[in-house]
Amino acid sequence: MAEDEAAGWFSEATATFGDRMAGAREAAGLSQEDLARRLGVRLKTVQAWEDDLSEPRANRLQMMAGMLNVSLRWLLTGEGEGLEGPTLPGALPGKARDALAELSRMRAQMLALAKEMGHLEKRMRGLMREDVE
């Protein structure tokens, strides 16, 4: 992976909150169980955070950033003090680079669709409340 590609490895466009959390946890040498115990939460809670099924509250997020030695901003956005990402010698072959670009494009589409679905769900809930009232 080229150095400029490695620098963006954990960016908002490339990785999710859960990806950054898992990467920082692994870099800190902690298992999911270790992190859960230190944060005072259940293992399935940490797993849900890393799988992007839920997000921690602000107090847990701040504790986690400190434990993992990354900034809160980096955990949330991929910007700021955090992990650099993998550094591999040389550039990726063209086909592998194309596949990564396609994955990145698909992730962006998926995130955009998830955001739209969230807005639609919120609108539907509002409409359902109106019908009840």
Side-chain angles (χ1 to χ4, degrees), residues 16-102:
T16 65
F17 166 80
D19 294 333
R20 287 186 292 277
M21 179 184 159
R25 176 185 54 74
E26 291 168 1
L30 296 172
S31 68
Q32 288 180 326
E33 294 86 358
D34 293 334
L35 185 59
R37 188 172 38 261
R38 289 183 181 193
L39 290 172
V41 299
R42 295 178 183 200
L43 171 60
K44 67 181 181 178
T45 301
V46 168
Q47 292 169 336
W49 293 342
E50 289 190 2
D51 291 338
D52 294 304
L53 299 175
S54 66
E55 295 177 352
R57 292 183 178 160
N59 62 336
R60 298 279 191 236
L61 197 56
Q62 188 65 45
M63 287 172 58
M64 184 188 317
M67 285 178 196
L68 301 179
N69 199 28
V70 296
S71 71
L72 182 60
R73 181 176 175 219
W74 181 84
L75 267 179
L76 294 171
T77 67
E79 298 175 2
E81 296 295 316
L83 303 181
E84 294 298 318
T87 54
L88 302 174
L92 290 173
K95 289 183 179 181
R97 190 175 32 253
D98 292 346
L100 283 175
E102 179 71 9

Side-chain angles (χ1 to χ4, degrees), residues 8-22 49-52 75-77 98-117:
W9 184 257
F10 287 107
S11 71
E12 178 82 19
T14 308
T16 65
F17 166 80
D19 294 333
R20 287 186 292 277
M21 179 184 159
W49 293 342
E50 289 190 2
D51 291 338
D52 294 304
L75 267 179
L76 294 171
T77 67
D98 292 346
L100 283 175
E102 179 71 9
L103 279 171
S104 181
R105 184 189 63 74
M106 290 171 68
R107 179 184 295 250
Q109 287 177 333
M110 181 186 73
L111 292 172
L113 284 172
K115 188 174 183 178
E116 284 183 52
M117 287 173 60

